[in-house]
Amino acid sequence: MTRYAGNVAAIRDLVRDQEVHRDVYVSEEVFQLEMEHMFPNSWVYVGHDSQVPNPGDYFGTTIGTQPILLVRHTDGTVKVLHNRCPHKGTRITSETCGNAGKFFRCPYHAWSFRTDGSLLAIPLKKGYENTGFEQSHAASGMAPVRHVRNYRGFVFAKINDGGLDFEEFFGESLSSFDNMIDRSPVGQLKVAGGVLRYMHNCNWKMLVENQTDTCHPMVAHESSAGTVVEVWKKAPPGTKKPMAVEIIAPFMSPYEFFENMGIRIWDNGHGHTGVHHSIHSDYSAVPGYFEKMKAAYGEERAKAILGENRHNTVYFPNIMIKGPIQLLRHFKPIAANKTLVESWTFQLVDAPDMLLERTLMYNRLINAPTSIVGHDDLEMYERAQEGLHSNGNEWVNLQRLYSPDEAGQTNVAVNGTSEWPMRHQFRAWTKFMTMGM
Amino acid sequence: MSMVTEAQVKNAIPTDQELIDFVVREARLIDQQRFDEWLNLYADDAFYWMPLEWNQTDPRLTCSLMYEDKLLLSIRVERLKGARTFSQKPKSRCHHVLQTPQVDSRDPAANNYVTWTPMHYIETRMDEQTLYAAWATHHLSVENGRLKIKLKRVDLINCDAAFGNIQLFM
Ligand code: FES
Ligand SMILES: [Fe+2]
């Protein structure tokens, strides 16, 4: 039964000022429309250019559910290609990442392509003479994604020609990327440590929303963070607080802490928690790091960079970054009720290793399929995915600290427990979902 | 020798059979959810390591699924008992099938004994049941007449796959 395809009014009706219809989470039809419209209309994160340092290097990923390749072209620029042979559709690459050499070669019939996707050669080419092949879709090779932007190493792509340009889409929100990158004394990040992959039986938007949900940690994570606090209380007085306790215990901070941390709202669904402070504020100093930053930037600027404690910055549609610990979570949609969460970590080039060590410990303790904090969250998402099938109430409430004048406001800082960011994400959702429909 | 209660090693240097019995008993304690007794098998400076990468050598600057000291392991054990541990309501259960542990090295001078144990591990909760295949490597030593785990390393055959929740111990 199609209810939403081509029906802009029906899609708009799913998002109200203070609530959203459960079909945004459970309907396979809505999910397919997200893949057809919302993702292609948006600037979606692809990968980091340190994953493809040398010409011919590639990294395979997805935009929505479409397979794509991030490639370092022979001219040194990065390209994004659809990972599909123009002949019969075969996936071109065998490994997730690797080096193609000077060209890609399809393993099925050996058509080959330059690293910008253009067709290089076809065996027994004369079989295509006088067939009008030049006019075929296949003749142009592996289709490139035309709109690609490499922002200080972070590569984004937009599949559709319509929509907003890169600057307009992100606006002031890029300051969170800037802060994360500037934390390297040489202003450079490198993907490091490996990626954690965690399968979630829930809609991808539940994860995105959760990144600015500051009323859940002290409740849902009482089991993990609360236990850490209790166990740590029994440590003999004077014991040095371990890194793991520094990382998990702040999840138990009281409501007041989260109210005061603040939330900032930018355009197009982007925003961040932790305007004033965050759960990352009180980490122990890493020996030698500030000295390096001071030497690189001068004391005042170094202090300003490290004084930012942004907690979670959400980039609509489907990533979150943590600047203070150089972590990026990618919420990859698979089906209405299935999401792959990839948690990537970055090394600050020319900074002490201990920063990466802490980042990896955070990732393992919070974002791994073996993480007790992760277990707490996933349990809630899965219960919601199930509960939403109830017909007793078809709406999900996002009303906390709602004010009727908020639509259209941007670059504002508000109370840290507001659900404004979620309402804001759904306003963007409607916009990019229906754009060009 | 009973597998149910912990036994002292008879001599200062454990026999192969004592090492094997110890590893088998560890799995049994997990399966029977006797987590406090299980935790007692670990030395105070022990680590439980589950690598994320195939043939991983570094637990510090490469991420792992788990790399936990005794404090973190004890937090897990406490959490499993918690009244508000919702991901364990209802509780998970697990089941180990071990191949006979092989004694890979014995070094009485360094008080270090290493065993290698291929295993299948099943974790189940509600209607879901998941099978994992792994190799467990135990680094053991004798402390006050008892064997203790210094390091338990669990290498999953598909360590880099996307998993759902893994909530108990392999
Ligand atoms: S499918 Fe790729 S060359 Fe035929
Ligand atoms: Fe959470």
Side-chain angles (χ1 to χ4, degrees), chain B residues 2-7 24-42 73 76-78 80-81 91-94 96 168-169:
Chain B
S2 162
M3 307 279 258
V4 183
T5 54
E6 192 185 353
V24 171
R25 181 167 181 272
E26 192 225 347
R28 177 175 178 152
L29 292 181
I30 298 171
D31 286 355
Q32 294 184 326
Q33 312 223 0
R34 293 156 66 184
F35 294 121
D36 291 310
E37 287 170 77
W38 172 74
L39 204 54
N40 272 329
L41 302 182
Y42 285 74
L73 292 176
R76 282 184 188 265
V77 167
E78 282 308 305
L80 290 173
K81 303 173 190 163
K91 283 191 184 306
S92 302
R93 286 176 223 139
C94 68
H96 285 79
L168 300 177
F169 305 95

Side-chain angles (χ1 to χ4, degrees), chain A residues 193 195 197-199 222-223 227-228 231 242 340 353 357 360 364 369-370 372 375-376 378-380 383, chain B residues 52 60-61 63-65 67 75-76 78-79 84-87 89 125 160-167:
Chain A
V195 55
R197 304 171 67 235
Y198 191 175
M199 198 60 85
E222 185 185 336
S223 92
T227 305
V228 169
V231 170
L340 173 62
D353 278 349
E357 186 180 349
L360 295 178
R364 175 169 89 228
T370 36
I372 52 179
H375 299 159
D376 292 337
L378 181 50
E379 177 70 13
M380 296 307 132
R383 288 190 191 198
Chain B
L52 177 63
R60 202 174 71 92
L61 298 181
C63 200
S64 301
L65 289 161
Y67 184 63
I75 286 164
R76 282 184 188 265
E78 282 308 305
R79 176 181 176 272
R84 290 181 175 159
T85 303
F86 300 111
S87 78
K89 289 182 179 294
R125 183 169 174 249
D160 46 7
F163 298 110
N165 282 349
I166 300 173
Q167 299 209 56

Side-chain angles (χ1 to χ4, degrees), chain B residues 3-165:
Chain B
M3 307 279 258
V4 183
T5 54
E6 192 185 353
Q8 299 248 344
V9 286
K10 292 219 167 57
N11 302 299
I13 298 170
T15 63
D16 278 8
Q17 191 58 48
E18 283 172 325
L19 296 171
I20 291 166
D21 289 346
F22 179 89
V23 169
V24 171
R25 181 167 181 272
E26 192 225 347
R28 177 175 178 152
L29 292 181
I30 298 171
D31 286 355
Q32 294 184 326
Q33 312 223 0
R34 293 156 66 184
F35 294 121
D36 291 310
E37 287 170 77
W38 172 74
L39 204 54
N40 272 329
L41 302 182
Y42 285 74
D44 286 344
D45 58 353
F47 274 87
Y48 181 109
W49 185 17
M50 195 187 283
L52 177 63
E53 283 187 358
W54 186 245
N55 291 332
Q56 187 171 333
T57 52
D58 176 19
R60 202 174 71 92
L61 298 181
T62 300
C63 200
S64 301
L65 289 161
M66 281 174 72
Y67 184 63
E68 305 207 344
D69 59 12
K70 208 168 170 183
L71 176 74
L72 284 169
L73 292 176
S74 69
I75 286 164
R76 282 184 188 265
V77 167
E78 282 308 305
R79 176 181 176 272
L80 290 173
K81 303 173 190 163
R84 290 181 175 159
T85 303
F86 300 111
S87 78
Q88 283 297 298
K89 289 182 179 294
K91 283 191 184 306
S92 302
R93 286 176 223 139
C94 68
H95 182 267
H96 285 79
V97 180
L98 307 186
Q99 212 176 80
T100 306
Q102 298 166 42
V103 179
D104 272 8
S105 78
R106 359 180 359 115
D107 184 348
N111 192 13
N112 185 26
Y113 306 88
V114 182
T115 63
W116 191 74
T117 314
M119 65 181 188
H120 284 182
Y121 170 83
I122 290 158
E123 198 171 291
T124 177
R125 183 169 174 249
M126 296 189 282
D127 297 335
E128 296 279 327
Q129 178 167 296
T130 312
L131 170 68
Y132 302 88
W135 298 272
T137 308
H138 287 74
H139 293 246
L140 307 173
S141 67
V142 181
E143 283 179 12
N144 302 321
R146 290 182 192 276
L147 279 166
K148 294 276 179 185
I149 299 169
K150 299 290 260 189
L151 171 69
K152 179 177 179 180
R153 170 175 173 147
V154 178
D155 283 281
L156 280 160
I157 189 169
N158 57 343
C159 51
D160 46 7
F163 298 110
N165 282 349

